[in-house]
Amino acid sequence: MTIARRVTGSAEQRPPRAASAGGMDDGFLMEVCVDSVESAVNAERGGAGRIELCAGLVEGGTTPSMGLLQVVKQCVRVPVFVMIRPRGGDFLYSDREVEVMKADIRLAKLHGADGLVFGALTEDGRIDTELCTALLAVCRPLPVTFHRAFDMVHDPLVALETLISLGFERVLTSGCDSSALEGLSLIKRLAEQEVASRSATCRGFWKAPLLLSFTALLAQLGTQG
């Protein structure tokens, strides 16, 4: 059994309240990446406020089966975000792979996903805006996270602006480093840029796209059993 190979924490803005079993304490929400029903149940018991459901964690996470999603949704109460990634490796996708991703998004929505997680890049290390726009349209109205493909971009600050403009609510990143601890300085710069961007657009009298959180990779845990 692989347990919580990726434990993430996101500083999502919420009204102050007491800590609860939902994984929120002092404004921080813990998200745990799991690949089995048992891991999902244990994550919720351990205080996770959100689950990212994947298969193929050794490859960085791929799309889970819809059977796994159905049973996990029956066993936990916290939101379950589903990874949409047809294979391991790079984040450049063929037309047929894109069709698979769209089909998986529709099925995940049908079987109760609370959100979706995906990412796509161009050959020169930029956000694939055309593909992301098409996939976002299929995902709506569910919230969407851009996954750690972000850590492979050529220019993280430019990439962040692109993701905000496209309408992603969350970005999963370790600050383009091996963990969020090593990448903390970049994560801080990204967060500061997001606040500045939102302030600037609000002064322009139109509603700024809202990035709810940076979900930072905090630890790599091992495999048991």
Side-chain angles (χ1 to χ4, degrees):
M1 177 184 69
T2 305
I3 56 170
R5 277 188 61 88
R6 192 165 68 208
V7 180
T8 62
S10 58
E12 302 195 9
Q13 297 300 313
R14 297 286 194 279
R17 63 172 181 168
S20 69
M24 180 69 70
D25 188 6
D26 296 329
F28 286 86
L29 181 147
M30 181 173 68
E31 178 182 285
V32 179
C33 184
V34 304
D35 65 350
S36 70
V37 177
E38 184 177 1
S39 295
V41 171
N42 288 338
E44 184 178 49
R45 288 176 179 170
R50 185 167 61 234
I51 286 170
E52 181 184 303
L53 188 64
C54 304
L57 286 174
V58 174
E59 298 180 289
T62 55
T63 306
S65 76
M66 294 302 105
L68 177 59
L69 171 59
Q70 282 185 291
V71 177
V72 167
K73 285 292 296 180
Q74 293 168 6
C75 295
V76 302
R77 293 183 297 172
V78 297
V80 178
F81 279 38
V82 176
M83 172 71 77
I84 302 297
R85 188 180 178 210
R87 56 165 173 77
D90 62 32
F91 304 103
L92 309 174
Y93 298 110
S94 69
D95 290 343
R96 289 179 177 175
E97 287 174 329
V98 170
E99 290 307 308
V100 171
M101 295 171 78
K102 290 179 178 179
D104 283 335
I105 290 169
R106 294 186 186 100
L107 287 171
K109 292 170 66 177
L110 180 65
H111 292 295
D114 297 291
L116 289 309
V117 183
F118 71 82
L121 304 178
T122 62
E123 291 183 356
D124 59 355
R126 303 178 191 278
I127 304 297
D128 189 334
T129 56
E130 182 178 355
L131 176 51
C132 286
T133 298
L135 294 177
L136 282 165
V138 184
C139 291
R140 296 307 185 202
L142 295 185
V144 184
T145 299
F146 192 92
H147 62 41
R148 287 194 72 208
F150 185 85
D151 289 335
M152 305 297 291
V153 298
H154 175 70
D155 188 330
L157 299 178
V158 171
L160 176 62
E161 290 299 317
T162 301
L163 295 179
I164 293 174
S165 67
L166 289 173
F168 283 89
E169 286 87 357
R170 298 172 178 86
V171 176
L172 176 63
T173 180
S174 60
C176 300
D177 214 318
S178 57
S179 78
L181 298 179
E182 285 76 15
L184 186 59
S185 60
L186 177 58
I187 293 173
K188 182 178 179 181
R189 288 175 62 198
L190 291 167
E192 290 171 346
Q193 174 177 308
E194 190 275 332
V195 171
S197 175
R198 193 188 313 174
S199 299
T201 52
C202 285
R203 284 196 295 271
F205 300 103
W206 60 279
K207 185 177 180 181
L210 176 62
L211 188 70
L212 294 178
S213 70
F214 290 92
T215 304
L217 183 69
L218 298 179
Q220 293 280 6
L221 303 184
T223 300
Q224 293 184 353

mmCIF file of all heavy atoms in Angstrom, residues 56-83:
data_model
loop_
_atom_site.group_PDB
_atom_site.id
_atom_site.type_symbol
_atom_site.label_atom_id
_atom_site.label_comp_id
_atom_site.label_asym_id
_atom_site.label_seq_id
_atom_site.Cartn_x
_atom_site.Cartn_y
_atom_site.Cartn_z
ATOM 1 N N GLY A 56 -0.783 5.542 -10.205
ATOM 2 C CA GLY A 56 0.576 5.722 -10.693
ATOM 3 C C GLY A 56 1.396 6.759 -9.958
ATOM 4 O O GLY A 56 2.063 7.592 -10.580
ATOM 5 N N LEU A 57 1.387 6.713 -8.635
ATOM 6 C CA LEU A 57 2.126 7.720 -7.867
ATOM 7 C C LEU A 57 3.628 7.665 -8.131
ATOM 8 O O LEU A 57 4.308 8.676 -8.019
ATOM 9 C CB LEU A 57 1.837 7.545 -6.370
ATOM 10 C CG LEU A 57 0.453 8.025 -5.927
ATOM 11 C CD1 LEU A 57 0.206 7.666 -4.478
ATOM 12 C CD2 LEU A 57 0.317 9.521 -6.134
ATOM 13 N N VAL A 58 4.139 6.486 -8.469
ATOM 14 C CA VAL A 58 5.564 6.372 -8.790
ATOM 15 C C VAL A 58 5.913 7.238 -9.993
ATOM 16 O O VAL A 58 7.030 7.748 -10.117
ATOM 17 C CB VAL A 58 5.938 4.899 -9.056
ATOM 18 C CG1 VAL A 58 7.376 4.781 -9.538
ATOM 19 C CG2 VAL A 58 5.746 4.067 -7.791
ATOM 20 N N GLU A 59 4.930 7.453 -10.880
ATOM 21 C CA GLU A 59 5.131 8.284 -12.073
ATOM 22 C C GLU A 59 4.703 9.732 -11.849
ATOM 23 O O GLU A 59 4.603 10.507 -12.796
ATOM 24 C CB GLU A 59 4.336 7.707 -13.246
ATOM 25 C CG GLU A 59 4.767 6.316 -13.652
ATOM 26 C CD GLU A 59 3.948 5.797 -14.818
ATOM 27 O OE1 GLU A 59 2.763 5.485 -14.621
ATOM 28 O OE2 GLU A 59 4.504 5.715 -15.928
ATOM 29 N N GLY A 60 4.415 10.074 -10.606
ATOM 30 C CA GLY A 60 3.991 11.434 -10.310
ATOM 31 C C GLY A 60 2.497 11.623 -10.336
ATOM 32 O O GLY A 60 2.006 12.742 -10.184
ATOM 33 N N GLY A 61 1.744 10.530 -10.514
ATOM 34 C CA GLY A 61 0.297 10.595 -10.503
ATOM 35 C C GLY A 61 -0.305 10.547 -11.889
ATOM 36 O O GLY A 61 0.090 11.304 -12.775
ATOM 37 N N THR A 62 -1.264 9.639 -12.077
ATOM 38 C CA THR A 62 -2.013 9.538 -13.322
ATOM 39 C C THR A 62 -3.500 9.406 -12.970
ATOM 40 O O THR A 62 -3.872 9.325 -11.794
ATOM 41 C CB THR A 62 -1.567 8.332 -14.164
ATOM 42 O OG1 THR A 62 -1.672 7.136 -13.364
ATOM 43 C CG2 THR A 62 -0.131 8.498 -14.631
ATOM 44 N N THR A 63 -4.341 9.379 -13.985
ATOM 45 C CA THR A 63 -5.779 9.321 -13.762
ATOM 46 C C THR A 63 -6.172 8.024 -13.055
ATOM 47 O O THR A 63 -5.818 6.931 -13.513
ATOM 48 C CB THR A 63 -6.530 9.406 -15.097
ATOM 49 O OG1 THR A 63 -6.086 10.573 -15.800
ATOM 50 C CG2 THR A 63 -8.033 9.494 -14.875
ATOM 51 N N PRO A 64 -6.923 8.107 -11.953
ATOM 52 C CA PRO A 64 -7.370 6.898 -11.264
ATOM 53 C C PRO A 64 -8.560 6.270 -11.970
ATOM 54 O O PRO A 64 -9.199 6.906 -12.824
ATOM 55 C CB PRO A 64 -7.779 7.421 -9.883
ATOM 56 C CG PRO A 64 -8.281 8.808 -10.171
ATOM 57 C CD PRO A 64 -7.391 9.334 -11.270
ATOM 58 N N SER A 65 -8.895 5.054 -11.589
ATOM 59 C CA SER A 65 -10.086 4.416 -12.146
ATOM 60 C C SER A 65 -11.334 5.071 -11.572
ATOM 61 O O SER A 65 -11.330 5.610 -10.457
ATOM 62 C CB SER A 65 -10.093 2.916 -11.830
ATOM 63 O OG SER A 65 -10.447 2.693 -10.470
ATOM 64 N N MET A 66 -12.416 5.027 -12.339
ATOM 65 C CA MET A 66 -13.667 5.583 -11.848
ATOM 66 C C MET A 66 -14.252 4.720 -10.734
ATOM 67 O O MET A 66 -14.973 5.221 -9.868
ATOM 68 C CB MET A 66 -14.654 5.727 -13.005
ATOM 69 C CG MET A 66 -14.218 6.749 -14.044
ATOM 70 S SD MET A 66 -13.953 8.430 -13.374
ATOM 71 C CE MET A 66 -12.136 8.511 -13.360
ATOM 72 N N GLY A 67 -13.930 3.423 -10.732
ATOM 73 C CA GLY A 67 -14.342 2.579 -9.618
ATOM 74 C C GLY A 67 -13.721 3.037 -8.319
ATOM 75 O O GLY A 67 -14.388 3.097 -7.274
ATOM 76 N N LEU A 68 -12.425 3.381 -8.366
ATOM 77 C CA LEU A 68 -11.746 3.887 -7.172
ATOM 78 C C LEU A 68 -12.392 5.187 -6.712
ATOM 79 O O LEU A 68 -12.635 5.384 -5.516
ATOM 80 C CB LEU A 68 -10.262 4.109 -7.479
ATOM 81 C CG LEU A 68 -9.419 4.709 -6.351
ATOM 82 C CD1 LEU A 68 -9.452 3.832 -5.109
ATOM 83 C CD2 LEU A 68 -7.975 4.923 -6.814
ATOM 84 N N LEU A 69 -12.686 6.067 -7.643
ATOM 85 C CA LEU A 69 -13.325 7.340 -7.279
ATOM 86 C C LEU A 69 -14.673 7.093 -6.612
ATOM 87 O O LEU A 69 -14.982 7.698 -5.572
ATOM 88 C CB LEU A 69 -13.503 8.202 -8.524
ATOM 89 C CG LEU A 69 -14.347 9.483 -8.344
ATOM 90 C CD1 LEU A 69 -13.735 10.395 -7.293
ATOM 91 C CD2 LEU A 69 -14.491 10.214 -9.678
ATOM 92 N N GLN A 70 -15.488 6.222 -7.172
ATOM 93 C CA GLN A 70 -16.802 5.953 -6.609
ATOM 94 C C GLN A 70 -16.712 5.460 -5.169
ATOM 95 O O GLN A 70 -17.435 5.943 -4.289
ATOM 96 C CB GLN A 70 -17.531 4.910 -7.451
ATOM 97 C CG GLN A 70 -18.144 5.446 -8.730
ATOM 98 C CD GLN A 70 -18.957 4.382 -9.439
ATOM 99 O OE1 GLN A 70 -18.412 3.416 -9.966
ATOM 100 N NE2 GLN A 70 -20.263 4.551 -9.454
ATOM 101 N N VAL A 71 -15.820 4.519 -4.915
ATOM 102 C CA VAL A 71 -15.730 3.943 -3.575
ATOM 103 C C VAL A 71 -15.125 4.946 -2.592
ATOM 104 O O VAL A 71 -15.574 5.053 -1.441
ATOM 105 C CB VAL A 71 -14.923 2.627 -3.601
ATOM 106 C CG1 VAL A 71 -14.777 2.064 -2.194
ATOM 107 C CG2 VAL A 71 -15.601 1.611 -4.503
ATOM 108 N N VAL A 72 -14.121 5.698 -3.019
ATOM 109 C CA VAL A 72 -13.551 6.725 -2.148
ATOM 110 C C VAL A 72 -14.614 7.742 -1.750
ATOM 111 O O VAL A 72 -14.716 8.140 -0.580
ATOM 112 C CB VAL A 72 -12.355 7.422 -2.836
ATOM 113 C CG1 VAL A 72 -11.965 8.702 -2.087
ATOM 114 C CG2 VAL A 72 -11.159 6.479 -2.897
ATOM 115 N N LYS A 73 -15.428 8.167 -2.705
ATOM 116 C CA LYS A 73 -16.486 9.132 -2.398
ATOM 117 C C LYS A 73 -17.495 8.564 -1.395
ATOM 118 O O LYS A 73 -18.084 9.316 -0.604
ATOM 119 C CB LYS A 73 -17.200 9.533 -3.690
ATOM 120 C CG LYS A 73 -16.406 10.477 -4.566
ATOM 121 C CD LYS A 73 -16.255 11.853 -3.920
ATOM 122 C CE LYS A 73 -17.602 12.542 -3.765
ATOM 123 N NZ LYS A 73 -17.451 13.883 -3.128
ATOM 124 N N GLN A 74 -17.680 7.257 -1.396
ATOM 125 C CA GLN A 74 -18.582 6.636 -0.433
ATOM 126 C C GLN A 74 -17.988 6.573 0.964
ATOM 127 O O GLN A 74 -18.719 6.487 1.953
ATOM 128 C CB GLN A 74 -18.931 5.216 -0.897
ATOM 129 C CG GLN A 74 -19.766 5.148 -2.167
ATOM 130 C CD GLN A 74 -19.846 3.744 -2.744
ATOM 131 O OE1 GLN A 74 -19.357 2.777 -2.132
ATOM 132 N NE2 GLN A 74 -20.434 3.618 -3.920
ATOM 133 N N CYS A 75 -16.650 6.631 1.043
ATOM 134 C CA CYS A 75 -15.966 6.377 2.316
ATOM 135 C C CYS A 75 -15.443 7.624 3.015
ATOM 136 O O CYS A 75 -15.079 7.552 4.197
ATOM 137 C CB CYS A 75 -14.808 5.403 2.092
ATOM 138 S SG CYS A 75 -15.327 3.753 1.567
ATOM 139 N N VAL A 76 -15.354 8.750 2.323
ATOM 140 C CA VAL A 76 -14.839 9.974 2.947
ATOM 141 C C VAL A 76 -15.813 11.117 2.718
ATOM 142 O O VAL A 76 -16.627 11.095 1.784
ATOM 143 C CB VAL A 76 -13.441 10.364 2.394
ATOM 144 C CG1 VAL A 76 -12.442 9.242 2.609
ATOM 145 C CG2 VAL A 76 -13.518 10.759 0.927
ATOM 146 N N ARG A 77 -15.710 12.124 3.575
ATOM 147 C CA ARG A 77 -16.583 13.293 3.461
ATOM 148 C C ARG A 77 -15.860 14.512 2.922
ATOM 149 O O ARG A 77 -16.499 15.465 2.483
ATOM 150 C CB ARG A 77 -17.190 13.615 4.825
ATOM 151 C CG ARG A 77 -18.172 12.558 5.331
ATOM 152 C CD ARG A 77 -18.790 12.958 6.650
ATOM 153 N NE ARG A 77 -17.779 13.061 7.703
ATOM 154 C CZ ARG A 77 -18.023 13.536 8.918
ATOM 155 N NH1 ARG A 77 -19.231 13.966 9.233
ATOM 156 N NH2 ARG A 77 -17.057 13.583 9.821
ATOM 157 N N VAL A 78 -14.526 14.526 2.979
ATOM 158 C CA VAL A 78 -13.782 15.690 2.504
ATOM 159 C C VAL A 78 -13.806 15.724 0.978
ATOM 160 O O VAL A 78 -14.024 14.700 0.323
ATOM 161 C CB VAL A 78 -12.325 15.665 3.010
ATOM 162 C CG1 VAL A 78 -12.287 15.753 4.532
ATOM 163 C CG2 VAL A 78 -11.597 14.423 2.517
ATOM 164 N N PRO A 79 -13.589 16.894 0.374
ATOM 165 C CA PRO A 79 -13.584 16.986 -1.086
ATOM 166 C C PRO A 79 -12.511 16.102 -1.715
ATOM 167 O O PRO A 79 -11.407 15.959 -1.173
ATOM 168 C CB PRO A 79 -13.288 18.477 -1.343
ATOM 169 C CG PRO A 79 -13.729 19.169 -0.098
ATOM 170 C CD PRO A 79 -13.434 18.216 1.022
ATOM 171 N N VAL A 80 -12.841 15.535 -2.851
ATOM 172 C CA VAL A 80 -11.918 14.669 -3.597
ATOM 173 C C VAL A 80 -11.662 15.295 -4.964
ATOM 174 O O VAL A 80 -12.580 15.420 -5.782
ATOM 175 C CB VAL A 80 -12.487 13.249 -3.761
ATOM 176 C CG1 VAL A 80 -11.532 12.388 -4.590
ATOM 177 C CG2 VAL A 80 -12.745 12.612 -2.392
ATOM 178 N N PHE A 81 -10.414 15.708 -5.188
ATOM 179 C CA PHE A 81 -9.997 16.238 -6.484
ATOM 180 C C PHE A 81 -9.325 15.110 -7.258
ATOM 181 O O PHE A 81 -8.486 14.394 -6.711
ATOM 182 C CB PHE A 81 -9.026 17.407 -6.312
ATOM 183 C CG PHE A 81 -9.696 18.732 -6.014
ATOM 184 C CD1 PHE A 81 -10.800 18.805 -5.194
ATOM 185 C CD2 PHE A 81 -9.210 19.905 -6.564
ATOM 186 C CE1 PHE A 81 -11.424 20.017 -4.914
ATOM 187 C CE2 PHE A 81 -9.814 21.120 -6.296
ATOM 188 C CZ PHE A 81 -10.926 21.187 -5.479
ATOM 189 N N VAL A 82 -9.660 14.974 -8.517
ATOM 190 C CA VAL A 82 -9.198 13.841 -9.320
ATOM 191 C C VAL A 82 -8.129 14.281 -10.313
ATOM 192 O O VAL A 82 -8.306 15.255 -11.064
ATOM 193 C CB VAL A 82 -10.381 13.200 -10.077
ATOM 194 C CG1 VAL A 82 -9.894 12.082 -11.000
ATOM 195 C CG2 VAL A 82 -11.407 12.658 -9.087
ATOM 196 N N MET A 83 -7.024 13.553 -10.319
ATOM 197 C CA MET A 83 -5.955 13.800 -11.281
ATOM 198 C C MET A 83 -6.398 13.381 -12.675
ATOM 199 O O MET A 83 -6.942 12.298 -12.870
ATOM 200 C CB MET A 83 -4.706 13.010 -10.874
ATOM 201 C CG MET A 83 -3.587 13.032 -11.907
ATOM 202 S SD MET A 83 -2.793 14.654 -12.028
ATOM 203 C CE MET A 83 -1.753 14.642 -10.560
#
